[in-house]
Amino acid sequence: QVQLVQSGAEVKQPGASVKVSCKTSGYTFTDYYIHWVRQAPGQGLEWMGRINPKGGGTDYAQKFRGRVTMTRDTSISTVYMEMFGLRSDDTAVYYCARRVAVAGTNWFDPWGQGTLVTVSS
Amino acid sequence: QSVLTQPPSASGTPGQRVTISCSGSSSNIGTNAVEWYQQLPGTAPKLLIYRGNQRPSGVPDRISGSKSGTSTSLAISGLQSEDEADYYCVAWDDRLNGLVFGGGTKLTVL
C-alpha cells in the first residue's frame, strides 16, 4: 500500500536549521507531487509548498520563500524539507502529503504521520 | 487571517444535521475545486470530500459537500460522536499560485 513515513521529532535552537525527510513507498515516486503542510500547536493547517519528484521543480508559499528548500532523492524515493533560521513560531508538526491528480481534480492521499519540530533555547 | 474563512466552531446533538461553511473568492473557490478534510486529535488529516461534492470510498453518504459561487459547505447528517473533530476546507488559489486552507472548524457533538 502507499505509505509516506517521516523522520522523527527534532528539537532545535533558534537560528538553526532542520531537515525533515519523507520516505515514500507503494507507488511510482515520480508520478505524484509531494506537498508539505505544517500545523502549529492548537492552530490550523498551513500550506508550505510542493515538489515535483520527476524533475525536482518546486513552488513555495510566499511566506516560506528563501527560508525553505524542498529536495528529493529519486534513488530512495524520498523527499526532504529543510527550513533555515528557525524561530520559536516555527514550532509545529510538519506533514508531507502525496497529491493525487485525476481528470483535473486533486486531493491529498495519503499523508505522512507528521514530524514535530520544536524550536527552543 | 486565513484566505478561506470558516467558523471556528460548530456543534450539534446526535442525529442532527450540521453544516460548516467555507468562504473564499474568485481566485480560489470561485474557480477551483474544493476539498474537505477531517482531523482527529493527534492524527493526520483525512480526505472527506474532493471536487466540491465527491466522496472517496469509505466516507459515508451522510457526509456531503456543496458549492455556490465563492462559498462552499460541508454537511454532516445523522451526527455521531465519532464526528467530533476539526474540519478544514482547501483550494488552489490562482492569484497566490498555491494552496490555501480555511482556518478550521472544531465540531462538538453535545
Side-chain angles (χ1 to χ4, degrees), chain A residues 20-102:
Chain A
V20 180
S21 67
C22 173
K23 182 168 177 58
T24 74
S25 61
Y27 71 98
T28 302
F29 178 65
T30 51
D31 281 354
Y32 299 85
Y33 281 69
I34 295 291
H35 293 233
W36 289 88
V37 175
R38 77 175 186 179
Q39 185 171 38
Q43 302 301 308
L45 301 170
E46 181 176 32
W47 184 74
M48 299 179 67
R50 64 179 180 177
I51 182 168
N52 180 353
K54 183 171 290 185
T58 54
D59 294 293
Y60 301 113
Q62 170 111 24
K63 175 177 180 176
F64 298 104
R65 285 175 202 157
R67 211 160 68 89
V68 166
T69 299
M70 297 175 189
T71 57
R72 94 287 191 219
D73 184 337
T74 56
S75 69
I76 55 172
S77 301
T78 298
V79 170
Y80 303 92
M81 187 283 299
E82 188 168 18
M83 181 177 282
F84 309 93
L86 289 168
R87 306 184 292 251
S88 59
D89 61 357
D90 291 318
T91 294
V93 175
Y94 290 76
Y95 292 102
C96 61
R98 188 183 72 153
R99 192 73 172 161
V100 177
V102 175

